[in-house]
Amino acid sequence: MTSTAGLWLAVVLSGAYHGLNPGMGWPLAVSAALMEQRQSALWRALSALAGGHFLAMLGVLLPFALMTILVDYQREIRIGAALIVIAMGLYIAITRRHPRFLSRVPPSRLALWSFLVALAHGAALMLVPIYLGLCGLDELDTGHRALSEIMGTNGLLLLSVAALHTASMMLGGGILAYAVYRWLGLQFLSRSWFNLEMVWAISLILVGGLGLWAAV
């Protein structure tokens, strides 16, 4: 059985991984700072990206937090969630196309863009199997645990997972964005741009597979 410490580590590492991925938006923060010629613009842009990403995490995890009260079906819920994550990874691996609607969101709405891209790329879905593992559904006693206590515990856990994941994402992406803005410059991006699309797809499939293995 996957340890609780290992699951929390997965929350942090997935956040850092999302942050380092250019597709999650840190180059937009660099662009904002360069256009305004102010370092404060970098932090404002990163804050907007963090806000959108955090809301996307909550939006995807919240239904599963509510479903964990259905303890009798916890195995089916976890298997279904893992299969959804695997399907998303396969879709990205096969199509390798970015949703067109993302290009229609103006740079002035970074929070909205970050929210949509986290949903479209399955970033929030990646946390679902990890979150359900942290809920400890196998240990719940339906006969003696009050519904309000379950909801309260899972609600706090939901906020903790989303907040920790977003914080580690901003740490990873923020360090890279600051380094590019302060020292490396735009030439670094043109010379060493890296596309993590296939890695992203494989990681979704891997996380979904691990979640499926833990549930079965």
Side-chain angles (χ1 to χ4, degrees):
M1 191 68 175
T2 307
S3 68
T4 301
L7 290 170
W8 280 113
L9 179 61
V11 171
V12 174
L13 292 179
S14 65
Y17 169 56
H18 290 173
L20 293 174
N21 186 352
M24 289 293 102
W26 65 258
L28 296 177
V30 176
S31 175
L34 290 174
M35 285 191 296
E36 294 189 26
Q37 294 295 306
R38 286 186 297 181
Q39 185 174 303
S40 59
L42 181 76
W43 309 126
R44 286 201 307 272
L46 288 173
S47 298
L49 292 171
H53 198 82
F54 178 74
L55 290 177
M57 300 301 109
L58 292 183
V60 171
L61 292 177
L62 182 59
F64 290 95
L66 298 177
M67 282 197 296
T68 54
I69 64 175
L70 303 176
V71 182
D72 292 337
Y73 302 99
Q74 61 93 6
R75 185 168 178 267
E76 288 79 3
I77 291 173
R78 293 174 69 178
I79 290 175
L83 290 176
I84 291 173
V85 175
I86 293 173
M88 185 68 179
L90 290 173
Y91 172 79
I92 293 176
I94 294 172
T95 61
R96 299 197 191 183
R97 290 184 301 178
H98 296 270
R100 292 183 178 180
F101 70 86
L102 293 176
S103 62
R104 301 192 184 104
V105 181
S108 59
R109 299 179 182 177
L110 281 181
L112 175 62
W113 182 90
S114 180
F115 174 82
L116 293 175
V117 80
L119 295 179
H121 283 262
L125 274 177
M126 188 181 288
L127 281 182
V128 171
I130 302 172
Y131 169 73
L132 291 177
L134 285 170
C135 284
L137 294 175
D138 297 323
E139 302 172 1
L140 294 179
D141 184 349
T142 56
H144 300 88
R145 187 176 290 270
L147 179 62
S148 59
E149 181 181 347
I150 296 173
M151 291 294 292
T153 301
N154 288 337
L156 180 61
L157 183 62
L158 166 65
L159 291 173
S160 300
V161 168
L164 182 60
H165 173 86
T166 303
S168 58
M169 173 199 167
M170 282 299 100
L171 181 61
I175 290 175
L176 194 51
Y178 183 78
V180 171
Y181 169 73
R182 190 73 177 177
W183 301 299
L184 302 177
L186 291 180
Q187 289 185 354
F188 168 80
L189 292 180
S190 61
R191 290 197 309 266
S192 39
W193 179 263
F194 45 99
N195 190 339
L196 296 179
E197 199 75 8
M198 182 54 68
V199 177
W200 184 274
I202 293 173
S203 63
L204 283 170
I205 296 171
L206 179 62
V207 169
L210 291 174
L212 186 61
W213 172 78
V216 174

